[in-house]
């Protein structure tokens, strides 16, 4: 089927069910086990004092590393790996030697690439089951280069496919259509439900061309912006 849709893009939030327990179950639980912070003990207070002092030492050591190497401060607030790194170091214990720059850039990076490839493969396997959404948007990089990004959304997960630098390229409908058509071939028409672009006139025209070529089940949605 062909057509356009203007519904906003969004994803639902899965909430974990709240477990309830009976009065009989609660009778066998000590008050401090229900909420240890509500019934603090002297042992807990002493441990908390050491935790505060330890956190200050960790904070100072990490800050020195950031300042000495000129690492942006907001790197500590981006992504889940900062805290997990601290937790693993604390779990392993003192005396552990950190990896060298060569190890990070070679062995460990290769492991990360392999893990990411496996993860992407599991997401791609869902395309045929749930269908996918091709998402594209043009924007300017920090160096003012015009770029078109292509992503695939499926089952609350998104995969970055590619970016095309269109500097000195004619931003015509047929040129953008050729780029989009290659992406459709790469993902597989049978795996695609819809295409989401920005609201620019050239992208609207591309959507019409795509629907004309793939009339069976191609639906194009138009959003004002993906970012």
């Amino acid at each position: 089927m062909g057509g356009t849709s203007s519904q906003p893009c969004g994803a639902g939030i899965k909430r974990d069910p709240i477990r309830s327990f009976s009065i009989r179950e609660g009778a066998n639980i000590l008050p401090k086990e229900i909420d240890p912070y509500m019934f603090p003990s002297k042992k807990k207070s002493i441990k908390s004092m050491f935790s505060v002092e330890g956190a200050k030492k960790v904070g100072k050591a990490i800050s020195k590393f950031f300042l000495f190497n000129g690492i942006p401060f907001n790197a500590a607030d981006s992504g889940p790996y900062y805290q997990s790194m601290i937790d693993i170091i604390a779990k392993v214990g003192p005396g552990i030697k950190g990896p060298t720059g060569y190890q990070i850039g070679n062995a460990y990076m290769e492991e990360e690439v392999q893990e990411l490839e496996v993860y992407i493969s599991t997401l791609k396997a869902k395309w045929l089951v749930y269908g996918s959404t091709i998402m594209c948007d043009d924007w300017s990089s920090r160096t003012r280069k015009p770029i078109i990004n292509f992503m695939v959304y499926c089952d609350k997960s998104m995969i970055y496919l590619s970016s095309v630098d269109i500097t000195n390229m004619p931003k015509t409908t047929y040129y953008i259509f050729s780029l989009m058509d290659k992406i459709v071939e790469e993902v597989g028409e049978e795996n695609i439900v819809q295409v989401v672009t920005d609201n620019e006139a050239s992208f609207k025209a591309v959507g019409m061309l795509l629907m004309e070529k793939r009339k069976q089940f191609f639906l194009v949605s138009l959003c004002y912006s993906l970012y």
Side-chain angles (χ1 to χ4, degrees), residues 127 132-139 147-154 157-163 180 183-184 186-187 192 194-197 225-227:
W127 291 355
S132 65
T133 296
I134 301 296
M135 307 178 73
C136 68
D137 189 36
D138 66 320
W139 63 294
I147 295 174
I148 298 179
N149 294 319
F150 296 97
M151 292 79 66
V152 180
Y153 177 86
C154 176
S157 299
M158 185 179 296
I159 298 176
Y160 164 82
L161 282 183
S162 61
S163 293
M180 181 69 73
I183 295 296
V184 172
E186 179 182 345
V187 175
I192 300 172
Q194 63 180 356
V195 173
V196 178
T197 73
S225 178
L226 299 179
Y227 300 98

Side-chain angles (χ1 to χ4, degrees), residues 139-147 164-168:
W139 63 294
S140 297
S141 66
R142 292 181 178 179
T143 57
R144 298 297 181 181
K145 287 185 177 182
I147 295 174
V164 179
D165 183 353
I166 58 174
T167 304
N168 300 324

Side-chain angles (χ1 to χ4, degrees), residues 5-11 194 196 221-224:
S5 171
S6 59
Q7 63 182 18
C9 308
Q194 63 180 356
V196 178
S221 298
L222 298 174
C223 297
Y224 286 103

Side-chain angles (χ1 to χ4, degrees), residues 48-60:
S48 299
M49 290 173 60
F50 281 108
S51 297
V52 171
E53 186 63 28
K56 289 182 178 179
K57 291 181 179 180
V58 171
K60 188 171 183 179

